[in-house]
Amino acid sequence: MVSTDRFLAFAAVSLLVIVIPGPSVLFVIGRALAHGRRTAVATAIGNVFGSYLLVVAVAIGIGSLVERSVALYMTVKLAGAAYLVYLGVQAYRHRGELKAAAIRATPAAPKRGDLRTVLDGVLVGVTNPKGVVFFAAVLPQFVDHSAGHVPLQMLLLGLVPISIGMITDTLWGLTASAARTWFARSERRLSLIGGAGGCTMIGLGVTVAVTGRAE
């Protein structure tokens, strides 16, 4: 249904867009620094689900509606930004609770459940302005309208950037969590890195909120 040429062309464009760190990548890094590898991986999985929800929305026509409506677009963007700031503040407030000994030992069950962490990632992924613009403006250009089944083509093409994003987000998260483990040699350093993770998320939320609407 979708030609190999279109798949490869869309994959190339997707890779160029994804390798530039955006809100999802910075969010995964922030969670990795603040909470470690398990949370980072769960967040990356949530981001993937959230991003694919954007693909589904575009495929059934909702994505273009959000892109055309200034009020709706701003509501979605500001909701995501506010939640990022909230998570960042929480991470910063509890930075002193990170214990080096606990990280060096076998980790216990995480304070935040895996499902809650995945849902956090979903919310960030689905409210990511970069994702909204990419899937609403770029994805439709690679659809072959003469072949029919346009929504299905979009759903299939959407799997390309989703797969690339899953790999790159996970690698970013694992790299950041490895750095966090190194900081576990000192509880003071660990507290600093937890605070850095929180500040990263706060800064990201502010950036998303004040970034102008892409045309």
Side-chain angles (χ1 to χ4, degrees):
M1 182 180 297
V2 180
S3 67
T4 302
D5 290 343
R6 288 179 183 270
F7 259 114
L8 294 178
F10 188 56
V13 172
S14 300
L15 183 60
L16 288 175
V17 172
I18 291 172
V19 294
I20 302 173
S24 293
V25 170
L26 295 179
F27 183 62
V28 170
I29 291 175
R31 298 309 295 275
L33 293 176
H35 302 288
R37 179 173 56 189
R38 181 168 177 169
T39 296
V41 172
T43 300
I45 293 173
N47 270 326
V48 167
F49 281 116
S51 296
Y52 198 69
L53 285 177
L54 290 178
V55 175
V56 175
V58 170
I60 63 178
I62 298 176
S64 58
L65 174 63
V66 173
E67 180 62 15
R68 289 196 301 267
S69 172
V70 176
L72 185 55
Y73 181 90
M74 290 299 296
T75 299
V76 170
K77 185 176 76 167
L78 292 177
Y83 193 62
L84 282 171
V85 172
Y86 167 76
L87 291 175
V89 169
Q90 290 297 104
Y92 187 83
R93 285 182 57 200
H94 298 290
R95 67 191 186 283
E97 297 177 7
L98 296 174
K99 300 298 181 182
I103 291 179
R104 288 194 294 264
T106 303
K111 189 173 183 179
R112 292 177 71 84
D114 290 338
L115 178 59
R116 175 66 183 277
T117 300
V118 170
L119 291 177
D120 288 345
V122 169
L123 181 59
V124 172
V126 81
T127 58
N128 181 357
K130 179 180 175 182
V132 172
V133 172
F134 179 74
F135 290 121
V138 179
L139 174 60
Q141 298 181 29
F142 290 85
V143 172
D144 184 0
H145 290 273
S146 64
H149 305 287
V150 172
L152 182 56
Q153 288 188 60
M154 289 187 178
L155 293 175
L156 291 175
L157 284 170
L159 293 174
V160 175
I162 293 302
S163 300
I164 296 173
M166 182 66 212
I167 295 171
T168 56
D169 284 3
T170 301
L171 290 176
W172 276 111
L174 293 177
T175 301
S177 63
R180 179 178 181 265
T181 302
W182 181 82
F183 272 90
R185 297 176 185 176
S186 165
E187 291 195 4
R188 180 175 179 276
R189 291 177 184 175
L190 188 58
S191 178
L192 289 174
I193 204 66
C199 289
T200 298
M201 285 184 279
I202 293 172
L204 174 59
V206 173
T207 300
V208 169
V210 302
T211 298
R213 176 183 172 87
E215 299 295 344

